[in-house]
Amino acid sequence: MSLRLLLFLLSFEARQLHKENCIFLQKTSPVLIRMIKQRRLAYKIPFKLEVVKYAKEHGNRAAERHFGPPPTERMIRDWRKQEDQLQKADKNKHTFRGHAAKWPQLDVAMKEWITHHRNNGITVSTKMIIYEAKRIALEKGIHDFTGSPSWCYRFMKRCGLSMRTKTRIAQKMPEEYESKILSFHKFVIDARKRNGFEIGQIGNMDEVPLTFDVPSNRTVDLKGAKTIAVKTSGHEKTHYTVVLSCCADGTKLPPMLIFKRKTFPKEVIPRGIVVHVHEKGWMDENGMRVWVEKVWSKRPGGLLKKPALLVLDQFRAHISESTKKCFKEAKTHLAVIPGGLTSQLQPLDVSINKPFKVFMREEWNKWMAAGNHDLTPTGRMKRPTITQVCEWVKTSWHSVKEEIVAQSFKKCGISNGLDSKEDDILYEDGEESDASDCEELNFINSDSGTDEFLGFTED
């Protein structure tokens, strides 16, 4: 093909394309032609206010000549009508997008309620917002209000509120942790095959350090606030220990609370709670003996002394000679988790401790928001009573679902079927460990070592 012929063909194709476009434009309305030619633009609110200010001084047409077109004179007239709304709106927005509040009086009441709580330093969660909104809606006679999470999200967006939180650092895994996990799984499987433990006789126990004040790391507050204050009773460093224990079939055993004192409290202890005292408020060998006698030995099947397997971390009170003797009398075999791997192998750490602490924070938030607290002679707020703390623990532990408990054991590879049909549960996403919450309470830091795997069985 010659060069002249090639140029002729290219020019012919170009003429045909131009002809088709002209026919399309002739059949199209003038409005559509302008839409095709003119790209739709968006202007931020600061620019609109600048144009409005210029138009007020020199006129709308002068503003059009100075800033556009576009914007056109018609657009500038509309902006001038919206000047009051533009002054109050978020300056980062382009326009007034989003639906208006269906119950504006409810928004005003809730904004005042949140402002009052935050001015007093009280933590505000989204659940608290929904509960309070439902209560106010009933008072105002609003019967079609459901208080859904989507309403809470839109309400916070309308009022310039956001959830504030602090960052956290993930737990560092020890060296060769994969081989240690495999060794632990092999140890548990061999023990189950050798002794034939029932699922309900496979348990886990762990100490959860808590304080009388349980302020949340997250609270609803205004966007852009640089200082987030949370009011407490001043006892956020006065700690006690909650000993949680559960079984692989979902059974939750009664929690034991260890308070920092020398004498047994004279306050009323709710049923279903075991209380122990220690000079420093943590677990020791004597506390382990009390737990075995009052909690573990009274589990379903414990009085019959059925063979059992208990998963523990390497805290020294768990593996002392006197403690192992108590477990031997109870016909309980021990599986000790390798150091630094409780976030992977301890059911309580994997999926249970976190929701328990969330429920504890909710109970504390309700107590703080209720007000009318007793004061000391110096005017300081008194801490919650031991009876109140026991009730919080009892309610929070009851709120943890049994399905989560049973699933957590399988997630850790402890109660999975021996036929390998449930092995895929090991790789499902689970709740992250709350190990970092214990950093300031070194008395329970039993996972900091790098000891090799230890597995204890009573032959």
Side-chain angles (χ1 to χ4, degrees), residues 221-264:
D221 209 332
L222 291 173
K223 294 181 179 179
K226 296 182 179 180
T227 302
I228 307 299
V230 176
K231 184 179 180 181
T232 66
S233 65
H235 294 89
E236 57 269 21
K237 293 186 179 180
T238 306
H239 66 261
Y240 62 96
T241 301
V242 177
V243 185
L244 298 178
S245 48
C246 51
C247 298
D249 61 349
T251 302
K252 294 177 291 184
L253 304 182
M256 184 173 84
L257 279 70
I258 306 175
F259 291 102
K260 185 180 179 180
R261 52 187 298 150
K262 294 182 179 180
T263 59
F264 196 85

XYZ file of all heavy atoms in Angstrom, residues 221-264:
337
model
N -16.897 12.334 71.209
C -16.578 13.721 71.506
C -16.559 14.499 70.200
O -16.626 13.921 69.115
C -15.227 13.830 72.224
C -15.175 15.050 73.149
O -15.878 16.039 72.842
O -14.452 15.017 74.152
N -16.446 15.800 70.316
C -16.440 16.650 69.136
C -15.200 16.400 68.295
O -14.113 16.142 68.833
C -16.488 18.121 69.557
C -17.806 18.602 70.178
C -17.650 20.016 70.692
C -18.948 18.511 69.179
N -15.349 16.484 66.980
C -14.214 16.325 66.082
C -13.229 17.471 66.284
O -13.621 18.607 66.492
C -14.689 16.310 64.631
C -15.540 15.102 64.266
C -15.947 15.149 62.810
C -16.785 13.940 62.427
N -17.196 13.984 61.012
N -11.942 17.137 66.239
C -10.905 18.151 66.347
C -10.485 18.463 67.766
O -9.541 19.238 67.973
N -11.177 17.890 68.779
C -10.782 18.151 70.163
C -9.405 17.548 70.430
O -9.168 16.370 70.168
C -11.814 17.560 71.119
N -8.484 18.352 70.945
C -7.112 17.895 71.155
C -6.924 17.208 72.503
O -6.040 16.374 72.658
C -6.146 19.075 71.034
C -6.112 19.698 69.642
C -5.110 20.831 69.567
C -5.078 21.435 68.168
N -4.110 22.556 68.074
N -7.721 17.567 73.497
C -7.617 16.972 74.829
C -8.922 16.261 75.139
O -9.993 16.868 75.107
C -7.344 18.046 75.893
O -6.149 18.737 75.557
C -7.202 17.404 77.259
N -8.837 14.968 75.430
C -10.012 14.167 75.746
C -9.903 13.752 77.209
O -9.076 12.913 77.567
C -10.104 12.916 74.846
C -10.008 13.314 73.368
C -11.391 12.166 75.119
C -11.110 14.224 72.903
N -10.710 14.358 78.071
C -10.678 14.067 79.501
C -11.790 13.087 79.850
O -12.901 13.166 79.336
C -10.852 15.351 80.305
N -11.477 12.136 80.736
C -12.449 11.145 81.192
C -12.482 11.198 82.712
O -11.455 11.010 83.362
C -12.089 9.723 80.707
C -13.052 8.711 81.284
C -12.126 9.667 79.184
N -13.643 11.449 83.267
C -13.788 11.564 84.708
C -13.827 10.189 85.355
O -14.469 9.266 84.849
C -15.079 12.323 85.044
C -15.264 12.584 86.526
C -16.542 13.366 86.769
C -16.753 13.648 88.243
N -18.008 14.388 88.484
N -13.139 10.036 86.475
C -13.146 8.802 87.252
C -13.299 9.159 88.723
O -13.316 10.327 89.094
C -11.848 8.005 87.047
O -10.744 8.743 87.605
C -11.595 7.741 85.567
N -13.377 8.133 89.556
C -13.442 8.372 90.994
C -12.053 8.484 91.605
O -11.924 8.635 92.821
C -14.222 7.240 91.678
O -13.529 6.008 91.560
N -11.015 8.409 90.764
C -9.647 8.518 91.267
C -9.044 7.210 91.708
O -7.958 7.178 92.305
N -9.721 6.095 91.427
C -9.225 4.781 91.847
C -8.920 3.897 90.642
O -9.096 2.680 90.694
C -10.256 4.092 92.750
C -10.468 4.789 94.061
N -11.397 5.789 94.222
C -9.855 4.645 95.267
C -11.365 6.223 95.469
N -10.435 5.556 96.128
N -8.474 4.523 89.548
C -8.149 3.742 88.359
C -6.865 2.940 88.523
O -6.523 2.133 87.657
C -8.049 4.644 87.126
C -7.041 5.759 87.244
C -7.633 7.028 87.787
O -8.696 6.960 88.436
O -7.043 8.093 87.583
N -6.110 3.161 89.607
C -4.907 2.374 89.874
C -5.085 1.423 91.052
O -4.158 0.704 91.406
C -3.719 3.302 90.122
C -3.294 4.097 88.898
C -2.029 4.888 89.155
C -1.609 5.646 87.902
N -0.370 6.442 88.135
N -6.262 1.445 91.684
C -6.559 0.513 92.776
C -7.079 -0.770 92.158
O -8.215 -0.823 91.680
C -7.605 1.116 93.723
O -7.153 2.408 94.157
C -7.814 0.234 94.933
N -6.245 -1.781 92.149
C -6.557 -2.965 91.364
C -7.066 -4.117 92.221
O -6.928 -4.134 93.444
C -5.320 -3.424 90.583
C -4.210 -3.909 91.471
N -3.136 -3.124 91.805
C -4.006 -5.101 92.091
C -2.320 -3.799 92.598
N -2.832 -5.002 92.783
N -7.665 -5.043 91.541
C -8.037 -6.344 92.093
C -7.957 -7.338 90.946
O -7.792 -6.947 89.782
C -9.442 -6.324 92.723
C -10.550 -6.013 91.756
C -11.289 -7.031 91.152
C -10.871 -4.698 91.447
C -12.300 -6.734 90.265
C -11.884 -4.395 90.559
C -12.602 -5.418 89.976
O -13.604 -5.128 89.083
N -8.045 -8.617 91.248
C -7.884 -9.658 90.231
C -9.156 -10.476 90.127
O -9.726 -10.884 91.144
C -6.699 -10.580 90.583
O -5.509 -9.805 90.681
C -6.510 -11.645 89.511
N -9.601 -10.699 88.906
C -10.744 -11.578 88.641
C -10.215 -12.852 88.008
O -9.500 -12.795 86.999
C -11.766 -10.909 87.706
C -12.911 -11.865 87.397
C -12.302 -9.637 88.334
N -10.527 -13.976 88.605
C -10.105 -15.280 88.078
C -11.276 -15.872 87.313
O -12.295 -16.243 87.898
C -9.653 -16.224 89.211
C -9.114 -17.530 88.631
C -8.600 -15.552 90.085
N -11.138 -15.934 85.987
C -12.171 -16.494 85.132
C -11.790 -17.902 84.715
O -10.611 -18.188 84.470
C -12.369 -15.626 83.891
C -12.828 -14.178 84.118
C -12.937 -13.452 82.792
C -14.144 -14.134 84.869
N -12.775 -18.756 84.607
C -12.529 -20.137 84.174
C -13.748 -20.654 83.440
O -14.891 -20.262 83.739
C -12.212 -21.036 85.383
O -13.155 -20.849 86.420
N -13.510 -21.512 82.472
C -14.590 -22.033 81.644
C -14.176 -23.376 81.081
O -13.014 -23.788 81.179
C -14.921 -21.058 80.520
S -13.477 -20.530 79.559
N -15.145 -24.077 80.479
C -14.902 -25.402 79.911
C -15.223 -25.389 78.416
O -15.906 -24.492 77.917
C -15.741 -26.463 80.630
S -15.341 -26.622 82.392
N -14.723 -26.394 77.728
C -14.804 -26.422 76.271
C -16.210 -26.613 75.749
O -16.471 -26.360 74.572
C -13.891 -27.526 75.719
N -17.150 -27.057 76.603
C -18.536 -27.198 76.148
C -19.333 -25.912 76.320
O -20.540 -25.898 76.071
C -19.223 -28.338 76.900
C -19.278 -28.095 78.406
O -18.610 -27.153 78.879
O -19.984 -28.851 79.105
N -18.664 -24.818 76.731
C -19.324 -23.539 76.908
C -19.677 -23.213 78.343
O -20.177 -22.115 78.626
N -19.431 -24.138 79.263
C -19.750 -23.906 80.676
C -18.853 -22.813 81.251
O -17.635 -22.857 81.087
C -19.581 -25.192 81.492
O -20.425 -26.210 80.939
C -19.942 -24.964 82.951
N -19.468 -21.852 81.938
C -18.714 -20.785 82.600
C -18.762 -21.029 84.108
O -19.845 -21.053 84.707
C -19.304 -19.418 82.255
C -19.167 -19.047 80.795
C -19.838 -17.717 80.499
C -21.340 -17.844 80.618
N -22.039 -16.587 80.238
N -17.606 -21.215 84.710
C -17.523 -21.481 86.140
C -17.605 -20.166 86.912
O -17.301 -19.095 86.373
C -16.223 -22.215 86.458
C -16.003 -23.531 85.693
C -14.696 -24.191 86.124
C -17.173 -24.472 85.894
N -18.003 -20.223 88.195
C -18.130 -18.986 88.983
C -16.802 -18.230 89.049
O -15.755 -18.821 89.274
C -18.547 -19.491 90.371
C -19.194 -20.817 90.111
C -18.451 -21.407 88.956
N -16.825 -16.911 88.838
C -15.584 -16.133 88.925
C -15.147 -15.950 90.377
O -15.965 -15.894 91.292
C -15.967 -14.789 88.288
C -17.444 -14.703 88.441
C -17.974 -16.088 88.437
N -13.831 -15.861 90.566
C -13.267 -15.597 91.888
C -12.583 -14.237 91.864
O -11.794 -13.954 90.966
C -12.269 -16.681 92.296
C -11.727 -16.492 93.717
S -10.701 -17.870 94.294
C -9.118 -17.431 93.600
N -12.875 -13.381 92.850
C -12.292 -12.054 92.943
C -11.284 -12.018 94.086
O -11.588 -12.471 95.197
C -13.370 -10.989 93.175
C -14.142 -10.510 91.938
C -15.061 -11.603 91.421
C -14.950 -9.266 92.264
N -10.098 -11.493 93.805
C -9.042 -11.378 94.809
C -8.825 -9.893 95.078
O -8.386 -9.159 94.186
C -7.742 -12.044 94.334
C -7.989 -13.496 93.928
C -6.677 -11.972 95.418
C -6.774 -14.192 93.344
N -9.147 -9.454 96.282
C -9.027 -8.047 96.646
C -7.755 -7.810 97.456
O -7.284 -8.691 98.191
C -10.242 -7.590 97.454
C -11.504 -7.535 96.654
C -12.453 -8.546 96.771
C -11.750 -6.490 95.777
C -13.619 -8.505 96.033
C -12.911 -6.442 95.030
C -13.853 -7.453 95.156
N -7.223 -6.605 97.323
C -5.993 -6.221 98.016
C -6.336 -5.752 99.428
O -6.606 -4.579 99.675
C -5.288 -5.107 97.237
C -3.946 -4.709 97.801
C -3.312 -3.605 96.970
C -1.964 -3.195 97.551
N -1.334 -2.107 96.755
N -6.317 -6.685 100.357
C -6.605 -6.393 101.763
C -6.188 -7.591 102.610
O -5.916 -8.683 102.085
C -8.080 -6.054 101.973
C -9.028 -7.075 101.394
C -10.468 -6.599 101.472
N -10.866 -6.412 102.877
C -11.754 -5.525 103.262
N -12.291 -4.692 102.381
N -12.102 -5.413 104.534
N -6.157 -7.389 103.936
C -5.726 -8.457 104.839
C -6.899 -9.209 105.454
O -6.764 -10.371 105.830
C -4.852 -7.869 105.951
C -3.526 -7.293 105.458
C -2.694 -6.782 106.621
C -1.356 -6.217 106.132
N -0.521 -5.702 107.243
N -8.030 -8.540 105.595
C -9.194 -9.163 106.220
C -10.292 -9.378 105.189
O -10.387 -8.658 104.194
C -9.737 -8.276 107.352
O -10.095 -6.989 106.822
C -8.678 -8.099 108.437
N -11.134 -10.357 105.456
C -12.231 -10.648 104.547
C -13.268 -9.534 104.649
O -13.601 -9.075 105.744
C -12.870 -11.990 104.905
C -13.737 -12.556 103.816
C -13.184 -13.300 102.787
C -15.109 -12.323 103.810
C -13.973 -13.820 101.778
C -15.905 -12.834 102.804
C -15.334 -13.583 101.791
